[in-house]
Amino acid sequence: MAVGNSTYISLMMFCLILGYCCFILTEYIVAIVLMIVGIYIGSKALPRGRLSPNNKAVFITGCDTGFGHSLALRLDQLGYLVYAGCLFPGLWAIVNNAGVWTYGEIEITQMETIKRIAEVNVYGTIRVTKAFLPIIRRCKGRIVNVGSLGGRISAIPGGGAYCMTKYAIECFNDTLRYEMSPWGVKVCLIEPGQYGKSTNIGINNIENISEEIWKNVPEDVKKDYGKEHQDGITNIYKKGREYCYGDATPVVDSMVDSVTSRTPRHRYLVGGLIMTYLQVYAMELIPSWLGDHQYIGIMNYMVPLPAYLKRYINK
């Protein structure tokens, strides 16, 4: 049983009274020692104040049972953010949700940017999965990866750097699903559509991204493409932003289902306009030359030709 303030006070009073008795009996040294001990014990009952739990997180190991389990519950009730580490059953599912986004045609996009996007969207997902896979595998848990509609269709103007990482996640997810099947681990993929407004992934900051991209383009490449062409790509995303969903509830609902369902889907294609769905499935079925024709037609209609090609045509 924990020692409470009342116990400390009782012990203090006992020592002080006993010390007083010793003082009357001329046992001065014993009396002084008892009084000092009594004051020391009594000091433990003094109020020490409480820290505010705001912006404070606590990581606790061994939270399966016992002290760790009780402490985690208590601190959570007090308002702390608790990271509870367990051995068993412990971690049962991981959701690889982290992701970053940019846009820009391949020649215009800096190599450092392409590496940065891949580092988070691809290698980050793989690292986290590999780190926890032994635990997930032993408890027949679940892995949920967040891809994108851009992993199913790359005919998105300026979407190369981002889409290629989501294509990689598609392959990673399928491969992992095959490999984990004998272990009883289910692997699911969430493929959100137009949900840029509901995240902080970058669609809400297109203007700044556009400026950052253009200022890092080599001068000779700038001259060949021209600012008018780059602005045309940017305008596609500006207009597309108007059709993005601001409420992420359908995506979260799919994530919850992928974690909690006894028989989750392999893929959850969530959101997007009807035409987008049709485009995804059509691009998977039609010949590539026909898909190329569709992409080029969209580009010619919505984006001005690069400056060099304009000059060549006008000759």
Side-chain angles (χ1 to χ4, degrees):
M1 184 176 67
V3 179
N5 286 348
S6 60
T7 304
Y8 284 125
I9 293 173
S10 298
L11 289 171
M12 179 189 70
M13 294 302 298
F14 175 78
C15 290
L16 291 177
I17 291 171
L18 187 59
Y20 179 74
C21 294
C22 291
F23 184 80
I24 292 176
L25 296 173
T26 67
E27 296 291 336
Y28 300 120
I29 295 177
V30 176
I32 292 171
V33 170
L34 285 171
M35 288 182 178
I36 291 173
V37 171
I39 293 170
Y40 172 75
I41 292 174
S43 68
K44 293 184 177 293
L46 295 174
R48 290 170 288 117
R50 293 287 184 185
L51 292 171
S52 168
N54 293 338
N55 299 318
K56 291 183 177 64
V58 182
F59 175 72
I60 308 169
T61 59
C63 293
D64 306 83
T65 58
F67 299 145
H69 181 76
S70 300
L71 176 61
L73 293 176
R74 180 73 62 83
L75 290 177
D76 180 67
Q77 291 170 356
L78 291 174
Y80 287 86
L81 176 60
V82 178
Y83 295 96
C86 302
L87 293 177
F88 186 82
L91 185 66
W92 181 80
I94 58 173
V95 179
N96 288 308
N97 177 63
V100 291
W101 174 86
T102 192
Y103 76 97
E105 293 173 292
I106 296 298
E107 188 174 6
I108 286 177
T109 305
Q110 295 293 297
M111 195 65 211
E112 291 75 13
T113 301
I114 295 174
K115 288 180 179 178
R116 177 176 59 84
I117 299 295
E119 185 63 35
V120 176
N121 294 359
V122 181
Y123 298 116
T125 296
I126 295 171
R127 285 194 191 97
V128 170
T129 302
K130 286 177 68 66
F132 292 107
L133 201 52
I135 301 172
I136 299 294
R137 177 167 46 76
R138 288 170 191 145
C139 67
K140 296 184 178 180
R142 197 157 296 181
I143 299 170
V144 179
N145 296 310
V146 179
S148 168
L149 188 145
R152 299 276 290 274
I153 177 171
S154 57
I156 302 173
Y162 175 75
C163 289
M164 69 174 72
T165 66
K166 293 305 180 179
Y167 265 80
I169 292 301
E170 293 274 339
C171 179
F172 172 71
N173 191 83
D174 287 347
T175 301
L176 196 63
R177 191 177 69 250
Y178 304 147
E179 294 175 353
M180 289 295 104
S181 180
W183 295 91
V185 176
K186 290 182 168 57
V187 182
C188 308
L189 182 66
I190 312 294
E191 299 171 310
Q194 286 99 337
Y195 281 92
K197 281 185 182 177
S198 63
T199 69
N200 195 30
I201 201 168
I203 197 76
N204 298 318
N205 196 29
I206 295 173
E207 292 78 7
N208 291 340
I209 293 175
S210 177
E211 291 178 10
E212 186 68 22
I213 291 171
W214 190 248
K215 78 177 185 181
N216 291 315
V217 176
E219 289 301 321
D220 58 332
V221 178
K222 281 184 180 180
K223 184 178 178 180
D224 286 347
Y225 278 87
K227 190 66 164 58
E228 185 184 19
H229 176 79
Q230 172 63 14
D231 288 344
I233 299 286
T234 301
N235 287 333
I236 290 178
Y237 289 95
K238 285 182 179 180
K239 292 176 182 177
R241 184 168 56 188
E242 299 173 7
Y243 299 99
C244 287
Y245 300 103
D247 181 11
T249 299
V251 179
V252 176
D253 288 344
S254 296
M255 290 177 170
V256 171
D257 187 78
S258 68
V259 172
T260 61
S261 175
R262 290 182 181 275
T263 55
R265 301 174 187 171
H266 290 169
R267 281 182 170 81
Y268 292 79
L269 184 58
V270 192
L273 304 174
I274 296 298
M275 287 303 297
T276 306
Y277 282 107
L278 293 176
Q279 188 180 20
V280 168
Y281 295 120
M283 292 294 285
E284 292 177 347
L285 296 173
I286 65 176
S288 59
W289 65 265
L290 189 56
D292 291 354
H293 182 76
Q294 178 193 23
Y295 175 82
I296 294 168
I298 293 172
M299 283 291 289
N300 290 341
Y301 176 74
M302 300 185 71
V303 181
L305 279 174
Y308 179 87
L309 295 179
K310 270 189 175 182
R311 293 194 297 269
Y312 179 78
I313 291 172
N314 292 332
K315 285 184 178 180

